Amino acid sequence: MASPSTDHQDSDAPPGRERPSRLIDIAVGLLFLVADAVIVVAAGLLFVMVGMGSAEPPHSVQPARSRDVPVLAWLVVWGVPAVAAASAVVHARLRMPVTAVVQGLFTLVCTLLAVVWTRMLLS
């Protein structure tokens, strides 16, 4: 019986699943980096605009009012970090380390933004 080829003997991956090239990993990571930066800047600007629009004048003596926050707002605020985390896990499983790191950092930033948005929505 013939022995398996030497290129599959040292590999940890199953024979049918190859790792993407490093160049593809870097290109996808850069694309995600640009897209993630646009998302973070847009979320930050939206936070500032909504926060300034809902701010009351400093000498205002209005009673505190309760606002109901729609479920869709909560899904968006906490859904983006969840999707980013899923993307980081998927890219790590695809053995794309650069893209997985970019998505992992994006997950951290999205989680911090979600905490800030939650505080703003609850105040």
mmCIF file of all heavy atoms in Angstrom, residues 57-88:
data_model
loop_
_atom_site.group_PDB
_atom_site.id
_atom_site.type_symbol
_atom_site.label_atom_id
_atom_site.label_comp_id
_atom_site.label_asym_id
_atom_site.label_seq_id
_atom_site.Cartn_x
_atom_site.Cartn_y
_atom_site.Cartn_z
ATOM 1 N N PRO A 57 -31.216 71.880 28.410
ATOM 2 C CA PRO A 57 -30.440 73.030 28.871
ATOM 3 C C PRO A 57 -30.057 72.860 30.345
ATOM 4 O O PRO A 57 -30.777 72.232 31.113
ATOM 5 C CB PRO A 57 -31.395 74.217 28.701
ATOM 6 C CG PRO A 57 -32.476 73.741 27.798
ATOM 7 C CD PRO A 57 -32.509 72.255 27.899
ATOM 8 N N PRO A 58 -28.927 73.438 30.739
ATOM 9 C CA PRO A 58 -28.448 73.222 32.110
ATOM 10 C C PRO A 58 -29.376 73.762 33.198
ATOM 11 O O PRO A 58 -29.402 73.244 34.295
ATOM 12 C CB PRO A 58 -27.108 73.938 32.144
ATOM 13 C CG PRO A 58 -27.032 74.755 30.917
ATOM 14 C CD PRO A 58 -28.056 74.257 29.960
ATOM 15 N N HIS A 59 -30.168 74.785 32.909
ATOM 16 C CA HIS A 59 -31.027 75.388 33.943
ATOM 17 C C HIS A 59 -32.463 74.903 33.831
ATOM 18 O O HIS A 59 -33.356 75.495 34.417
ATOM 19 C CB HIS A 59 -30.981 76.911 33.850
ATOM 20 C CG HIS A 59 -29.595 77.453 34.007
ATOM 21 N ND1 HIS A 59 -28.881 77.338 35.175
ATOM 22 C CD2 HIS A 59 -28.768 78.071 33.141
ATOM 23 C CE1 HIS A 59 -27.683 77.890 35.028
ATOM 24 N NE2 HIS A 59 -27.590 78.334 33.776
ATOM 25 N N SER A 60 -32.686 73.837 33.128
ATOM 26 C CA SER A 60 -34.027 73.296 32.950
ATOM 27 C C SER A 60 -34.453 72.549 34.210
ATOM 28 O O SER A 60 -33.703 71.787 34.791
ATOM 29 C CB SER A 60 -34.049 72.340 31.755
ATOM 30 O OG SER A 60 -35.295 71.725 31.657
ATOM 31 N N VAL A 61 -35.717 72.782 34.632
ATOM 32 C CA VAL A 61 -36.235 72.141 35.834
ATOM 33 C C VAL A 61 -37.421 71.265 35.451
ATOM 34 O O VAL A 61 -38.486 71.361 36.034
ATOM 35 C CB VAL A 61 -36.648 73.181 36.889
ATOM 36 C CG1 VAL A 61 -36.977 72.518 38.219
ATOM 37 C CG2 VAL A 61 -35.579 74.225 37.062
ATOM 38 N N GLN A 62 -37.251 70.423 34.451
ATOM 39 C CA GLN A 62 -38.326 69.528 34.062
ATOM 40 C C GLN A 62 -38.170 68.217 34.821
ATOM 41 O O GLN A 62 -37.048 67.773 35.078
ATOM 42 C CB GLN A 62 -38.278 69.247 32.559
ATOM 43 C CG GLN A 62 -38.555 70.482 31.720
ATOM 44 C CD GLN A 62 -38.458 70.144 30.236
ATOM 45 O OE1 GLN A 62 -37.991 69.085 29.867
ATOM 46 N NE2 GLN A 62 -38.898 71.073 29.420
ATOM 47 N N PRO A 63 -39.280 67.604 35.167
ATOM 48 C CA PRO A 63 -39.169 66.317 35.854
ATOM 49 C C PRO A 63 -38.615 65.250 34.899
ATOM 50 O O PRO A 63 -38.800 65.321 33.694
ATOM 51 C CB PRO A 63 -40.615 65.989 36.258
ATOM 52 C CG PRO A 63 -41.465 66.799 35.332
ATOM 53 C CD PRO A 63 -40.656 68.023 34.978
ATOM 54 N N ALA A 64 -37.945 64.292 35.492
ATOM 55 C CA ALA A 64 -37.382 63.216 34.674
ATOM 56 C C ALA A 64 -38.517 62.416 34.053
ATOM 57 O O ALA A 64 -39.501 62.102 34.711
ATOM 58 C CB ALA A 64 -36.511 62.316 35.535
ATOM 59 N N ARG A 65 -38.366 62.110 32.777
ATOM 60 C CA ARG A 65 -39.412 61.354 32.109
ATOM 61 C C ARG A 65 -38.849 60.001 31.685
ATOM 62 O O ARG A 65 -37.677 59.866 31.354
ATOM 63 C CB ARG A 65 -39.940 62.127 30.909
ATOM 64 C CG ARG A 65 -38.872 62.411 29.903
ATOM 65 C CD ARG A 65 -39.423 63.110 28.689
ATOM 66 N NE ARG A 65 -38.310 63.217 27.757
ATOM 67 C CZ ARG A 65 -37.918 64.309 27.184
ATOM 68 N NH1 ARG A 65 -38.562 65.417 27.416
ATOM 69 N NH2 ARG A 65 -36.900 64.303 26.376
ATOM 70 N N SER A 66 -39.721 59.069 31.678
ATOM 71 C CA SER A 66 -39.331 57.716 31.292
ATOM 72 C C SER A 66 -39.568 57.540 29.788
ATOM 73 O O SER A 66 -40.619 57.909 29.275
ATOM 74 C CB SER A 66 -40.162 56.706 32.073
ATOM 75 O OG SER A 66 -39.993 55.433 31.544
ATOM 76 N N ARG A 67 -38.565 56.996 29.103
ATOM 77 C CA ARG A 67 -38.707 56.734 27.676
ATOM 78 C C ARG A 67 -38.619 55.239 27.438
ATOM 79 O O ARG A 67 -37.723 54.577 27.956
ATOM 80 C CB ARG A 67 -37.592 57.411 26.879
ATOM 81 C CG ARG A 67 -37.724 58.901 26.821
ATOM 82 C CD ARG A 67 -36.700 59.444 25.886
ATOM 83 N NE ARG A 67 -35.542 59.840 26.690
ATOM 84 C CZ ARG A 67 -34.381 60.198 26.197
ATOM 85 N NH1 ARG A 67 -34.182 60.185 24.919
ATOM 86 N NH2 ARG A 67 -33.394 60.557 26.976
ATOM 87 N N ASP A 68 -39.544 54.742 26.656
ATOM 88 C CA ASP A 68 -39.452 53.344 26.255
ATOM 89 C C ASP A 68 -38.536 53.254 25.051
ATOM 90 O O ASP A 68 -38.658 54.013 24.100
ATOM 91 C CB ASP A 68 -40.830 52.795 25.892
ATOM 92 C CG ASP A 68 -41.701 52.551 27.115
ATOM 93 O OD1 ASP A 68 -41.127 52.373 28.196
ATOM 94 O OD2 ASP A 68 -42.927 52.532 26.962
ATOM 95 N N VAL A 69 -37.617 52.318 25.108
ATOM 96 C CA VAL A 69 -36.686 52.108 24.008
ATOM 97 C C VAL A 69 -37.200 50.929 23.193
ATOM 98 O O VAL A 69 -37.464 49.860 23.739
ATOM 99 C CB VAL A 69 -35.267 51.818 24.538
ATOM 100 C CG1 VAL A 69 -34.305 51.601 23.393
ATOM 101 C CG2 VAL A 69 -34.802 52.955 25.431
ATOM 102 N N PRO A 70 -37.360 51.114 21.885
ATOM 103 C CA PRO A 70 -37.867 50.014 21.069
ATOM 104 C C PRO A 70 -36.907 48.823 21.063
ATOM 105 O O PRO A 70 -35.690 48.970 21.196
ATOM 106 C CB PRO A 70 -37.975 50.607 19.659
ATOM 107 C CG PRO A 70 -37.689 52.052 19.775
ATOM 108 C CD PRO A 70 -37.131 52.312 21.128
ATOM 109 N N VAL A 71 -37.482 47.646 20.908
ATOM 110 C CA VAL A 71 -36.691 46.424 20.898
ATOM 111 C C VAL A 71 -35.702 46.445 19.736
ATOM 112 O O VAL A 71 -34.573 45.964 19.858
ATOM 113 C CB VAL A 71 -37.621 45.194 20.806
ATOM 114 C CG1 VAL A 71 -36.830 43.912 20.647
ATOM 115 C CG2 VAL A 71 -38.516 45.117 22.026
ATOM 116 N N LEU A 72 -36.099 47.032 18.620
ATOM 117 C CA LEU A 72 -35.211 47.103 17.458
ATOM 118 C C LEU A 72 -33.932 47.871 17.783
ATOM 119 O O LEU A 72 -32.844 47.504 17.325
ATOM 120 C CB LEU A 72 -35.937 47.756 16.275
ATOM 121 C CG LEU A 72 -35.162 47.822 14.968
ATOM 122 C CD1 LEU A 72 -34.822 46.412 14.493
ATOM 123 C CD2 LEU A 72 -35.952 48.567 13.917
ATOM 124 N N ALA A 73 -34.052 48.914 18.603
ATOM 125 C CA ALA A 73 -32.859 49.673 19.001
ATOM 126 C C ALA A 73 -31.905 48.792 19.798
ATOM 127 O O ALA A 73 -30.688 48.828 19.584
ATOM 128 C CB ALA A 73 -33.263 50.900 19.814
ATOM 129 N N TRP A 74 -32.446 47.981 20.707
ATOM 130 C CA TRP A 74 -31.597 47.084 21.491
ATOM 131 C C TRP A 74 -30.962 46.022 20.604
ATOM 132 O O TRP A 74 -29.799 45.649 20.815
ATOM 133 C CB TRP A 74 -32.383 46.420 22.617
ATOM 134 C CG TRP A 74 -32.806 47.383 23.674
ATOM 135 C CD1 TRP A 74 -34.076 47.708 24.017
ATOM 136 C CD2 TRP A 74 -31.957 48.168 24.521
ATOM 137 N NE1 TRP A 74 -34.078 48.642 25.019
ATOM 138 C CE2 TRP A 74 -32.795 48.937 25.346
ATOM 139 C CE3 TRP A 74 -30.584 48.300 24.660
ATOM 140 C CZ2 TRP A 74 -32.306 49.815 26.301
ATOM 141 C CZ3 TRP A 74 -30.095 49.178 25.614
ATOM 142 C CH2 TRP A 74 -30.945 49.923 26.419
ATOM 143 N N LEU A 75 -31.724 45.533 19.626
ATOM 144 C CA LEU A 75 -31.172 44.534 18.707
ATOM 145 C C LEU A 75 -30.017 45.110 17.893
ATOM 146 O O LEU A 75 -29.019 44.428 17.651
ATOM 147 C CB LEU A 75 -32.259 44.005 17.775
ATOM 148 C CG LEU A 75 -33.274 43.067 18.415
ATOM 149 C CD1 LEU A 75 -34.357 42.697 17.409
ATOM 150 C CD2 LEU A 75 -32.603 41.826 18.958
ATOM 151 N N VAL A 76 -30.130 46.352 17.482
ATOM 152 C CA VAL A 76 -29.057 46.979 16.716
ATOM 153 C C VAL A 76 -27.848 47.244 17.612
ATOM 154 O O VAL A 76 -26.708 46.931 17.255
ATOM 155 C CB VAL A 76 -29.542 48.284 16.042
ATOM 156 C CG1 VAL A 76 -28.383 49.059 15.462
ATOM 157 C CG2 VAL A 76 -30.572 47.974 14.972
ATOM 158 N N VAL A 77 -28.111 47.819 18.784
ATOM 159 C CA VAL A 77 -27.012 48.185 19.686
ATOM 160 C C VAL A 77 -26.203 46.961 20.104
ATOM 161 O O VAL A 77 -24.973 46.993 20.092
ATOM 162 C CB VAL A 77 -27.557 48.936 20.925
ATOM 163 C CG1 VAL A 77 -26.506 49.046 22.003
ATOM 164 C CG2 VAL A 77 -28.039 50.317 20.519
ATOM 165 N N TRP A 78 -26.862 45.873 20.448
ATOM 166 C CA TRP A 78 -26.141 44.685 20.918
ATOM 167 C C TRP A 78 -25.972 43.623 19.840
ATOM 168 O O TRP A 78 -25.212 42.675 20.008
ATOM 169 C CB TRP A 78 -26.819 44.103 22.149
ATOM 170 C CG TRP A 78 -26.561 44.986 23.324
ATOM 171 C CD1 TRP A 78 -27.416 45.882 23.870
ATOM 172 C CD2 TRP A 78 -25.333 45.109 24.050
ATOM 173 N NE1 TRP A 78 -26.800 46.549 24.905
ATOM 174 C CE2 TRP A 78 -25.532 46.095 25.039
ATOM 175 C CE3 TRP A 78 -24.096 44.482 23.964
ATOM 176 C CZ2 TRP A 78 -24.537 46.456 25.931
ATOM 177 C CZ3 TRP A 78 -23.103 44.841 24.856
ATOM 178 C CH2 TRP A 78 -23.323 45.816 25.831
ATOM 179 N N GLY A 79 -26.667 43.786 18.714
ATOM 180 C CA GLY A 79 -26.520 42.833 17.614
ATOM 181 C C GLY A 79 -25.221 43.008 16.859
ATOM 182 O O GLY A 79 -24.615 42.031 16.400
ATOM 183 N N VAL A 80 -24.766 44.249 16.705
ATOM 184 C CA VAL A 80 -23.522 44.507 15.972
ATOM 185 C C VAL A 80 -22.321 43.859 16.668
ATOM 186 O O VAL A 80 -21.531 43.176 16.006
ATOM 187 C CB VAL A 80 -23.325 46.024 15.748
ATOM 188 C CG1 VAL A 80 -21.965 46.311 15.144
ATOM 189 C CG2 VAL A 80 -24.425 46.571 14.851
ATOM 190 N N PRO A 81 -22.148 43.996 17.995
ATOM 191 C CA PRO A 81 -21.031 43.287 18.621
ATOM 192 C C PRO A 81 -21.164 41.764 18.525
ATOM 193 O O PRO A 81 -20.170 41.058 18.379
ATOM 194 C CB PRO A 81 -21.064 43.731 20.084
ATOM 195 C CG PRO A 81 -21.851 44.965 20.110
ATOM 196 C CD PRO A 81 -22.785 44.906 18.956
ATOM 197 N N ALA A 82 -22.388 41.259 18.571
ATOM 198 C CA ALA A 82 -22.587 39.816 18.459
ATOM 199 C C ALA A 82 -22.192 39.315 17.070
ATOM 200 O O ALA A 82 -21.527 38.283 16.935
ATOM 201 C CB ALA A 82 -24.045 39.456 18.756
ATOM 202 N N VAL A 83 -22.572 40.056 16.040
ATOM 203 C CA VAL A 83 -22.205 39.669 14.673
ATOM 204 C C VAL A 83 -20.698 39.793 14.476
ATOM 205 O O VAL A 83 -20.071 38.947 13.818
ATOM 206 C CB VAL A 83 -22.984 40.529 13.650
ATOM 207 C CG1 VAL A 83 -22.458 40.338 12.251
ATOM 208 C CG2 VAL A 83 -24.462 40.190 13.694
ATOM 209 N N ALA A 84 -20.092 40.821 15.043
ATOM 210 C CA ALA A 84 -18.641 40.988 14.930
ATOM 211 C C ALA A 84 -17.912 39.844 15.624
ATOM 212 O O ALA A 84 -16.907 39.339 15.110
ATOM 213 C CB ALA A 84 -18.214 42.332 15.519
ATOM 214 N N ALA A 85 -18.415 39.415 16.774
ATOM 215 C CA ALA A 85 -17.790 38.294 17.477
ATOM 216 C C ALA A 85 -17.934 37.008 16.678
ATOM 217 O O ALA A 85 -16.983 36.221 16.570
ATOM 218 C CB ALA A 85 -18.418 38.124 18.865
ATOM 219 N N ALA A 86 -19.104 36.801 16.081
ATOM 220 C CA ALA A 86 -19.299 35.615 15.243
ATOM 221 C C ALA A 86 -18.363 35.642 14.043
ATOM 222 O O ALA A 86 -17.792 34.613 13.647
ATOM 223 C CB ALA A 86 -20.751 35.526 14.787
ATOM 224 N N SER A 87 -18.172 36.817 13.471
ATOM 225 C CA SER A 87 -17.261 36.947 12.336
ATOM 226 C C SER A 87 -15.823 36.635 12.746
ATOM 227 O O SER A 87 -15.089 35.981 11.998
ATOM 228 C CB SER A 87 -17.341 38.366 11.767
ATOM 229 O OG SER A 87 -16.404 38.550 10.745
ATOM 230 N N ALA A 88 -15.423 37.084 13.912
ATOM 231 C CA ALA A 88 -14.063 36.790 14.388
ATOM 232 C C ALA A 88 -13.866 35.289 14.583
ATOM 233 O O ALA A 88 -12.823 34.736 14.205
ATOM 234 C CB ALA A 88 -13.791 37.534 15.703
#
